[in-house]
Amino acid sequence: DIQMTQSPSSLSASVGDTVTITCRASQGITNSLAWFQQRPGKAPKSLIFAASILQSGVPSNFSGSGSGTDFTLTISSLQPEDFATYYCQQYSSYPITFGQGTRLEIK
Amino acid sequence: EVQLLESGGGLVQPGGALRLACAASGFTFSGYAMTWVRQAPGKGLHWVSSISGSGSSTYYAASVKGRFTISRDNSKNTLYLQLNGLTADDTAVYFCAKSVAVAGKRLDSWGQGTLVTVSS
Protein backbone atom coordinates (compact mmCIF):
# COMPACT_ATOMS: atom_id res chain seq x y z
CA ASP A 1 0.00 0.00 0.00
CA ILE A 2 1.13 3.56 -0.66
CA GLN A 3 1.39 5.54 2.58
CA MET A 4 0.69 9.27 2.45
CA THR A 5 2.36 11.39 5.13
CA GLN A 6 1.17 14.94 5.62
CA SER A 7 2.89 17.64 7.61
CA PRO A 8 2.26 19.49 9.72
CA SER A 9 -0.72 17.86 11.42
CA SER A 10 -1.89 21.27 12.59
CA LEU A 11 -1.05 24.82 11.73
CA SER A 12 -1.97 28.24 13.14
CA ALA A 13 -2.01 31.27 10.88
CA SER A 14 -3.61 34.68 10.49
CA VAL A 15 -5.87 36.08 7.82
CA GLY A 16 -3.65 37.28 4.98
CA ASP A 17 -0.83 34.83 5.70
CA THR A 18 0.57 32.26 3.27
CA VAL A 19 0.83 28.65 4.42
CA THR A 20 2.28 25.48 2.92
CA ILE A 21 1.24 21.90 3.62
CA THR A 22 3.37 19.01 2.45
CA CYS A 23 2.43 15.48 1.51
CA ARG A 24 4.90 12.67 0.92
CA ALA A 25 4.10 9.37 -0.75
CA SER A 26 5.92 6.20 0.30
CA GLN A 27 6.54 5.43 -3.36
CA GLY A 28 6.34 7.33 -6.62
CA ILE A 29 2.83 8.24 -7.79
CA THR A 30 3.81 10.53 -10.70
CA ASN A 31 1.21 13.34 -10.40
CA SER A 32 -1.78 11.25 -9.22
CA LEU A 33 -2.35 13.45 -6.21
CA ALA A 34 -5.44 15.35 -5.11
CA TRP A 35 -6.09 17.83 -2.31
CA PHE A 36 -9.37 18.18 -0.45
CA GLN A 37 -10.70 20.74 2.00
CA GLN A 38 -13.10 19.72 4.76
CA ARG A 39 -14.95 22.09 7.04
CA PRO A 40 -16.41 20.74 10.31
CA GLY A 41 -19.49 18.63 9.76
CA LYS A 42 -19.25 18.92 5.99
CA ALA A 43 -18.23 16.69 3.11
CA PRO A 44 -14.75 17.00 1.66
CA LYS A 45 -14.44 19.40 -1.26
CA SER A 46 -12.09 18.82 -4.16
CA LEU A 47 -9.49 21.58 -4.54
CA ILE A 48 -6.71 20.28 -6.75
CA PHE A 49 -6.09 17.22 -8.89
CA ALA A 50 -3.12 15.99 -10.89
CA ALA A 51 -0.98 17.64 -8.21
CA SER A 52 -1.38 21.15 -9.58
CA ILE A 53 -4.66 21.61 -11.48
CA LEU A 54 -7.27 23.69 -9.73
CA GLN A 55 -10.77 22.24 -9.65
CA SER A 56 -13.28 24.52 -11.35
CA GLY A 57 -14.51 27.22 -9.00
CA VAL A 58 -11.62 26.97 -6.55
CA PRO A 59 -10.09 30.37 -5.75
CA SER A 60 -6.71 31.15 -7.27
CA ASN A 61 -5.07 31.65 -3.87
CA PHE A 62 -4.81 27.85 -3.75
CA SER A 63 -1.98 26.19 -5.62
CA GLY A 64 -0.36 22.78 -5.72
CA SER A 65 2.93 21.44 -6.90
CA GLY A 66 5.07 18.33 -6.91
CA SER A 67 5.59 15.06 -8.67
CA GLY A 68 6.81 11.62 -7.77
CA THR A 69 6.79 11.44 -3.98
CA ASP A 70 6.78 15.02 -2.70
CA PHE A 71 3.88 17.43 -3.02
CA THR A 72 2.82 20.75 -1.57
CA LEU A 73 -0.39 22.70 -1.16
CA THR A 74 0.08 26.44 -0.79
CA ILE A 75 -2.66 28.79 0.32
CA SER A 76 -1.79 32.43 -0.08
CA SER A 77 -3.58 35.45 1.34
CA LEU A 78 -5.58 33.31 3.78
CA GLN A 79 -9.28 34.14 4.01
CA PRO A 80 -11.53 33.33 7.00
CA GLU A 81 -13.26 30.58 5.02
CA ASP A 82 -9.92 28.84 4.35
CA PHE A 83 -9.57 27.72 7.96
CA ALA A 84 -10.43 24.03 7.70
CA THR A 85 -8.77 20.63 7.50
CA TYR A 86 -6.89 19.63 4.37
CA TYR A 87 -6.20 16.13 3.08
CA CYS A 88 -4.04 14.80 0.29
CA GLN A 89 -5.07 11.64 -1.54
CA GLN A 90 -3.20 9.42 -3.97
CA TYR A 91 -5.15 7.88 -6.81
CA SER A 92 -2.28 6.11 -8.52
CA SER A 93 -3.32 2.66 -7.35
CA TYR A 94 -5.63 0.76 -5.06
CA PRO A 95 -5.97 0.93 -2.15
CA ILE A 96 -6.69 4.64 -2.42
CA THR A 97 -4.96 6.34 0.50
CA PHE A 98 -5.27 9.69 2.23
CA GLY A 99 -2.89 11.71 4.31
CA GLN A 100 -3.82 12.03 7.96
CA GLY A 101 -4.96 15.63 7.49
CA THR A 102 -3.70 19.09 8.38
CA ARG A 103 -5.90 21.26 10.57
CA LEU A 104 -5.49 24.93 9.73
CA GLU A 105 -6.56 27.15 12.61
CA ILE A 106 -6.85 30.87 13.07
CA LYS A 107 -4.07 32.33 15.21
CA GLU B 1 -25.43 19.59 -10.88
CA VAL B 2 -24.08 16.40 -9.33
CA GLN B 3 -25.99 15.34 -6.25
CA LEU B 4 -25.22 12.39 -4.01
CA LEU B 5 -27.52 11.56 -1.12
CA GLU B 6 -26.57 8.84 1.33
CA SER B 7 -29.04 7.03 3.55
CA GLY B 8 -29.32 3.94 5.70
CA GLY B 9 -27.07 4.84 8.58
CA GLY B 10 -28.07 4.36 12.20
CA LEU B 11 -27.34 2.59 15.45
CA VAL B 12 -26.55 -1.11 15.20
CA GLN B 13 -25.28 -3.66 17.69
CA PRO B 14 -21.87 -5.29 17.36
CA GLY B 15 -22.09 -8.17 14.93
CA GLY B 16 -25.06 -6.60 13.22
CA ALA B 17 -25.63 -5.54 9.63
CA LEU B 18 -26.68 -2.44 7.76
CA ARG B 19 -27.19 -1.46 4.13
CA LEU B 20 -26.20 1.99 3.03
CA ALA B 21 -27.48 3.60 -0.16
CA CYS B 22 -26.32 6.58 -2.19
CA ALA B 23 -28.81 8.08 -4.62
CA ALA B 24 -27.12 9.88 -7.48
CA SER B 25 -28.41 12.51 -9.87
CA GLY B 26 -27.11 15.14 -12.26
CA PHE B 27 -24.80 12.85 -14.26
CA THR B 28 -24.83 9.61 -16.26
CA PHE B 29 -24.44 7.26 -13.31
CA SER B 30 -23.24 4.20 -15.22
CA GLY B 31 -20.42 6.19 -16.76
CA TYR B 32 -18.53 6.68 -13.52
CA ALA B 33 -16.88 4.58 -10.88
CA MET B 34 -18.15 5.19 -7.37
CA THR B 35 -16.44 4.98 -4.00
CA TRP B 36 -17.25 4.79 -0.29
CA VAL B 37 -14.99 6.66 2.14
CA ARG B 38 -15.49 6.70 5.90
CA GLN B 39 -14.47 9.01 8.70
CA ALA B 40 -14.49 7.91 12.32
CA PRO B 41 -15.47 10.65 14.82
CA GLY B 42 -12.69 13.22 15.03
CA LYS B 43 -10.46 11.22 12.68
CA GLY B 44 -9.30 11.39 9.08
CA LEU B 45 -10.64 10.03 5.81
CA HIS B 46 -10.27 6.34 4.99
CA TRP B 47 -11.12 4.66 1.72
CA VAL B 48 -13.50 1.72 2.08
CA SER B 49 -14.46 0.41 -1.33
CA SER B 50 -14.84 1.30 -5.02
CA ILE B 51 -16.82 -0.09 -7.92
CA SER B 52 -16.47 0.46 -11.65
CA GLY B 53 -19.21 2.03 -13.72
CA SER B 54 -20.53 -1.29 -14.97
CA GLY B 55 -20.21 -2.91 -11.56
CA SER B 56 -17.95 -5.62 -12.95
CA SER B 57 -14.92 -4.58 -10.89
CA THR B 58 -14.89 -4.04 -7.14
CA TYR B 59 -12.15 -3.09 -4.71
CA TYR B 60 -12.00 -3.20 -0.91
CA ALA B 61 -9.83 -1.99 1.92
CA ALA B 62 -8.23 -4.87 3.81
CA SER B 63 -10.10 -3.84 6.97
CA VAL B 64 -13.52 -4.49 5.41
CA LYS B 65 -12.85 -7.21 2.84
CA GLY B 66 -15.08 -10.19 3.43
CA ARG B 67 -17.49 -8.18 5.60
CA PHE B 68 -18.62 -5.34 3.33
CA THR B 69 -20.05 -5.63 -0.18
CA ILE B 70 -20.27 -2.76 -2.64
CA SER B 71 -22.81 -2.89 -5.45
CA ARG B 72 -24.75 -0.60 -7.72
CA ASP B 73 -28.04 -0.54 -9.61
CA ASN B 74 -27.49 1.59 -12.68
CA SER B 75 -31.19 1.45 -13.55
CA LYS B 76 -31.94 3.17 -10.24
CA ASN B 77 -28.84 5.44 -10.18
CA THR B 78 -28.02 4.07 -6.76
CA LEU B 79 -24.86 2.85 -5.07
CA TYR B 80 -24.98 0.45 -2.13
CA LEU B 81 -22.73 -0.75 0.66
CA GLN B 82 -23.75 -3.82 2.62
CA LEU B 83 -22.07 -3.84 6.03
CA ASN B 84 -21.93 -7.17 7.88
CA GLY B 85 -20.14 -8.27 11.03
CA LEU B 86 -19.96 -4.72 12.32
CA THR B 87 -17.60 -3.78 15.15
CA ALA B 88 -17.07 -0.59 17.11
CA ASP B 89 -14.19 0.24 14.76
CA ASP B 90 -16.71 0.60 11.93
CA THR B 91 -18.37 3.54 13.66
CA ALA B 92 -18.00 6.44 11.24
CA VAL B 93 -19.64 8.78 8.81
CA TYR B 94 -19.78 7.02 5.47
CA PHE B 95 -19.47 9.22 2.39
CA CYS B 96 -20.14 8.18 -1.17
CA ALA B 97 -18.05 9.87 -3.82
CA LYS B 98 -18.11 10.01 -7.60
CA SER B 99 -15.02 9.30 -9.66
CA VAL B 100 -14.10 11.19 -12.80
CA ALA B 101 -14.14 8.19 -15.12
CA VAL B 102 -15.76 4.78 -15.58
CA ALA B 103 -12.84 3.08 -13.83
CA GLY B 104 -11.14 6.07 -12.28
CA LYS B 105 -9.84 6.51 -8.75
CA ARG B 106 -9.86 10.30 -8.69
CA LEU B 107 -12.82 11.60 -6.70
CA ASP B 108 -14.52 14.84 -7.61
CA SER B 109 -17.92 14.98 -5.89
CA TRP B 110 -19.01 13.83 -2.46
CA GLY B 111 -22.26 13.31 -0.64
CA GLN B 112 -22.94 14.68 2.83
CA GLY B 113 -22.50 11.33 4.52
CA THR B 114 -24.51 9.00 6.72
CA LEU B 115 -23.53 8.11 10.28
CA VAL B 116 -23.13 4.49 11.33
CA THR B 117 -22.81 3.88 15.05
CA VAL B 118 -21.93 0.40 16.28
CA SER B 119 -22.69 0.04 19.95
CA SER B 120 -24.51 -2.20 22.39
Side-chain angles (χ1 to χ4, degrees):
Chain A
D1 299 3
I2 300 174
Q3 309 302 319
M4 304 302 292
T5 304
Q6 262 182 259
S7 61
S9 56
S10 64
L11 184 56
S12 293
S14 301
V15 172
D17 284 354
T18 295
V19 297
T20 298
I21 299 168
T22 65
C23 182
R24 174 165 288 177
S26 61
Q27 64 190 73
I29 59 171
T30 60
N31 67 340
S32 299
L33 191 283
W35 290 96
F36 296 91
Q37 175 193 68
Q38 188 180 32
R39 297 189 176 101
K42 300 296 185 182
K45 172 188 173 184
S46 177
L47 296 176
I48 287 170
F49 63 93
S52 62
I53 300 175
L54 242 58
Q55 192 76 32
S56 175
V58 173
S60 59
N61 64 311
F62 288 88
S63 63
S65 66
S67 182
T69 60
D70 294 313
F71 303 88
T72 60
L73 171 69
T74 299
I75 313 170
S76 60
S77 187
L78 277 168
Q79 300 300 301
E81 60 269 25
D82 298 336
F83 292 91
T85 300
Y86 293 86
Y87 296 92
C88 62
Q89 176 231 336
Q90 70 79 18
Y91 53 92
S92 175
S93 64
Y94 286 114
I96 292 168
T97 45
F98 292 87
Q100 75 273 28
T102 295
R103 184 176 179 182
L104 177 56
E105 301 173 317
I106 297 178
K107 186 182 291 184
Chain B
E1 179 191 4
V2 171
Q3 291 195 346
L4 301 169
L5 183 62
E6 302 93 335
S7 61
L11 175 62
V12 60
Q13 292 189 338
L18 216 51
R19 189 195 199 197
L20 308 182
C22 171
S25 61
F27 62 102
T28 304
F29 184 66
S30 61
Y32 298 90
M34 297 293 293
T35 289
W36 288 98
V37 174
R38 68 183 180 183
Q39 186 170 37
K43 303 298 184 181
L45 302 171
H46 289 275
W47 172 75
V48 173
S49 182
S50 296
I51 186 168
S52 62
S54 66
S56 60
S57 297
T58 58
Y59 308 87
Y60 296 94
S63 58
V64 307
K65 195 168 187 178
R67 299 189 300 125
F68 292 7
T69 303
I70 192 171
S71 62
R72 62 193 297 160
D73 186 336
N74 287 343
S75 69
K76 295 183 178 179
N77 290 349
T78 302
L79 172 72
Y80 301 100
L81 187 68
Q82 177 69 40
L83 291 66
N84 295 333
L86 286 162
T87 73
D89 288 343
D90 297 315
T91 294
V93 174
Y94 286 73
F95 296 100
C96 69
K98 169 187 166 290
S99 295
V100 300
V102 68
K105 297 179 285 296
R106 179 166 75 87
L107 311 175
D108 66 350
S109 300
W110 298 62
Q112 288 303 305
T114 187
L115 176 62
V116 172
T117 303
V118 183
S119 175
S120 56

